[in-house]
Amino acid sequence: MTANLLDFDLEGLAAFCEELGEKRFRATQLYRWIHQRGVRDFDAMSDLAKSLRQKLPDVAHIASLPVLSRQNASDGTIKWLFDVGSGDAVEAVYIPESDRGTLCISSQAGCAVGCRFCSTGHQGFSRNLTTAEIIGQLWFVEHTLRAERNTTDRVVTNVVMMGMGEPLQNYNALVPALRTMLHDNAYGLSRRRVTVSTSGVVPMIDRLGLDCPVALAVSLHAPNDALRSDLVPLNRKHPLAELLAACARYLPHAPRDFLTFEYCMLKGVNDQPSHARELITLVTSFNGGQGLHCKFNLIPFNPFPDSGLTCSDKATVQAFADLLSQAGIVTTVRKTRGDDIDAACGQLAGEVLDRTNAAKRMATLRQGTGTVHTIQVTAASAANVR
Ligand code: SAH
Ligand code: SF4
C-alpha cells in the first residue's frame, strides 16, 4: 500500500519528502497542487522536479472516499454519502448561502458517545476516520464543485465538524485535517470559519486550544447534570461544571470572544421555561457571576424511529429563545435547509440502520438498483454557525 498524501499536513508531507531524499520545500509545492488545485496526477505537477514526479507513483497516491450517492436539494444544498468500508457510510453536506458556502464534515463512522436524541449515537461506533478521510471530504467537494462551476474561486468558505461522529474522540486524525483547512498553501480558511462541534470531551478541548484553536461549538442540550447525563452520557464523565470551566479556558485561544452552545429542542424534556431560566443562571452565574461569553443555537430535534422523542413545537422554541434573548444572551433558532433531501436536520437522522442493513443497502446501490435514504446530516445547524 502506498501512502495517501491526503493523510499529511504540511509538516507530515515535508517529513515524507525527506524520507524520499527530497528537499522539504518540495512538500509545499506538492501541498499546493493537491489542495489548492485538486490535482492527483503527479505527472501534471509541472514545477516538481522530474525525478520526484517519477518517484511518487511508486510510493504515494491521492484518494478521497468513494462516493455512494449524491443528492441535490432544490435550495442548492448537496449531500454526499461516502463509503468507508465494512458496510459503513458517512456523509458530507454542502450548504450554499448568499455570502458563504458551508461544508459539514464527518469525523467518525458511528459514534461512541451515544446521545439519546442522535441517530449516529444509536448506530454505535464503527471506526475513526483517518486524516485523509476527513480532509478528503473537503478536497473532493471543493474541487468537484469548482470543476462543475468552471471556476477557480473558492466554493467552500466555512467548514463545520458537525457530521457523524465526535471529532474530539478522533483527535489525532482531526488536528492535521484542521491544519490543512487553515493553511495558506492549502485551503487558507480563517480560524473563525472552521468550527469543531463537541459533546464535551474536556481534556481535548484544552488540547485543541493549544494545538489548533478554531471556533468551538459545544453541544449542551440541558441546564443541569441530571438531565444532561441522561441525554449526553459523556456528561457522567465530564459534568457541566467541568465542561463550562474548559469552555472558559478555551475562550482566550478562540478566534472570537464567544463560543456557541448548541441546544437540541426536545418536547417536554428540555424545552420548558424553567429549563431556560436554569440555563440563564448557569451561564450568567458562572465564575462567581462573571458569566461565560456565549451564544445559543437552538436546534429543533430531527426525529428518527425508536428515539422515543419528539420535536418541541414552534411556539415553545420561540418562547425559549425569547427568554434567553431577554436575558441578554444572543440566541438563534436553526433554519432548515435541504428539506427535500433530508439534509435539514440537527444531525444524522432518518432511519436508523444497523450495520448489516447498511451493508445490504450499499450492495444494492452498487448494483444500481437502490436509492439512498439512510442517513442525514446537520445541514441547518451547520449553516447557523457564524
Ligand atoms: N459529536 C459532535 C458533532 C456532531 S453532532 C457533537 O455532538 O457536537 C452536531 C450537532 O447536531 C450536535 O449539536 C448534536 O447534538 C446535534 N444533533 C444530533 N442529533 C440531532 C437530532 N436528531 N436533531 C437535532 N440535532 C441533533
Ligand atoms: Fe455522537 Fe454528537 Fe451524536 Fe452525541 S450528538 S452521539 S456526540 S455524533
Side-chain angles (χ1 to χ4, degrees):
M1 257 263 280
T2 66
N4 188 351
L5 298 188
L6 293 182
D7 258 324
F8 298 127
D9 58 12
L10 186 55
E11 263 308 297
L13 207 51
F16 182 77
C17 284
E18 273 182 336
E19 271 171 39
L20 293 179
E22 297 285 338
K23 295 266 184 323
R24 286 175 74 90
F25 80 90
R26 294 283 175 214
T28 306
Q29 292 177 315
L30 255 173
Y31 203 52
R32 284 193 181 150
W33 279 109
I34 298 167
H35 295 289
Q36 288 187 339
R37 304 178 69 170
V39 171
R40 44 184 305 198
D41 174 7
F42 298 121
D43 266 341
M45 302 181 178
S46 49
D47 63 355
L48 279 191
K50 208 165 179 200
S51 59
L52 177 57
R53 265 190 273 163
Q54 282 166 349
K55 236 183 263 176
L56 280 170
D58 294 332
V59 291
H61 66 282
I62 297 156
S64 59
L65 288 164
V67 175
L68 279 168
S69 72
R70 166 177 171 163
Q71 288 168 281
N72 299 296
S74 51
D75 66 3
T77 301
I78 309 173
K79 180 172 75 167
W80 287 267
L81 188 65
F82 296 101
D83 186 359
V84 294
S86 311
D88 290 313
V90 297
E91 278 193 353
V93 177
Y94 174 72
I95 309 128
E97 288 177 282
S98 56
D99 59 342
R100 82 191 70 188
T102 303
L103 184 66
C104 176
I105 287 183
S106 295
S107 58
Q108 299 179 311
C111 181
V113 177
C115 299
R116 256 182 68 194
F117 50 84
C118 173
S119 90
T120 307
H122 281 235
Q123 287 174 53
F125 176 68
S126 291
R127 71 170 177 86
N128 279 327
L129 299 191
T130 62
T131 298
E133 290 168 336
I134 297 172
I135 198 69
Q137 295 168 64
L138 173 58
W139 179 82
F140 171 81
V141 171
E142 176 69 34
H143 296 293
T144 300
L145 294 183
R146 273 195 213 176
E148 283 175 10
R149 294 166 188 196
N150 200 15
T151 178
T152 50
D153 291 347
R154 193 199 291 279
V155 177
V156 176
T157 63
N158 296 56
V159 171
V160 292
M161 298 302 307
M162 291 189 182
M164 284 178 98
E166 170 47 59
L168 295 187
Q169 287 191 338
N170 186 12
Y171 190 80
N172 290 343
L174 173 74
V175 168
L178 294 178
R179 289 197 173 123
T180 296
M181 292 173 200
L182 301 175
H183 205 287
D184 281 343
N185 287 314
Y187 300 91
L189 299 176
S190 85
R191 290 179 189 280
R192 48 175 71 190
R193 289 174 176 268
V194 174
T195 301
V196 167
S197 175
T198 180
S199 56
V201 190
V202 164
M204 295 304 159
I205 292 177
D206 284 323
R207 281 190 60 188
L208 189 70
L210 299 173
D211 292 340
C212 193
V214 291
L216 188 68
V218 173
S219 297
L220 208 59
H221 309 310
N224 60 61
D225 279 321
L227 184 54
R228 191 163 192 273
S229 294
D230 180 43
L231 296 173
V232 183
L234 189 65
N235 192 70
R236 292 177 208 136
K237 196 166 175 200
H238 302 297
L240 275 171
E242 229 189 88
L243 177 57
L244 294 192
C247 292
R249 289 193 297 273
Y250 192 85
L251 269 178
H253 305 281
R256 293 182 190 244
D257 61 354
F258 65 89
L259 46 85
T260 305
F261 285 126
E262 291 158 279
Y263 197 96
C264 179
M265 297 296 289
L266 302 162
K267 190 174 195 157
V269 176
N270 66 355
D271 66 348
Q272 297 301 300
S274 59
H275 296 118
R277 285 192 282 271
E278 210 179 342
L279 210 48
I280 293 163
T281 307
L282 183 75
V283 295
T284 56
S285 70
F286 177 76
N287 202 10
Q290 281 194 14
L292 190 63
H293 206 193
C294 61
K295 163 192 147 165
F296 270 82
N297 187 18
L298 305 182
I299 314 172
F301 170 61
N302 190 71
F304 57 93
D306 302 329
S307 68
L309 297 162
T310 43
C311 182
S312 313
D313 48 54
K314 250 185 163 174
T316 309
V317 176
Q318 196 51 54
F320 199 94
D322 289 346
L323 281 173
L324 295 183
S325 301
Q326 282 153 20
I329 302 171
V330 175
T331 305
T332 51
V333 178
R334 191 209 68 181
K335 307 173 247 177
T336 42
R337 292 294 303 265
D339 276 343
D340 47 340
I341 58 165
D342 290 335
C345 49
Q347 230 278 356
L348 302 160
E351 289 171 53
V352 179
L353 296 172
D354 66 28
R355 279 173 226 148
T356 329
N357 281 342
K360 270 192 219 144
R361 191 170 293 239
M362 270 177 239
T364 320
L365 261 170
R366 284 197 194 93
Q367 289 158 13
T369 52
T371 51
V372 178
H373 176 66
T374 54
I375 323 172
Q376 310 163 14
V377 171
T378 333
S381 67
N384 257 8
V385 173
R386 310 264 146 180

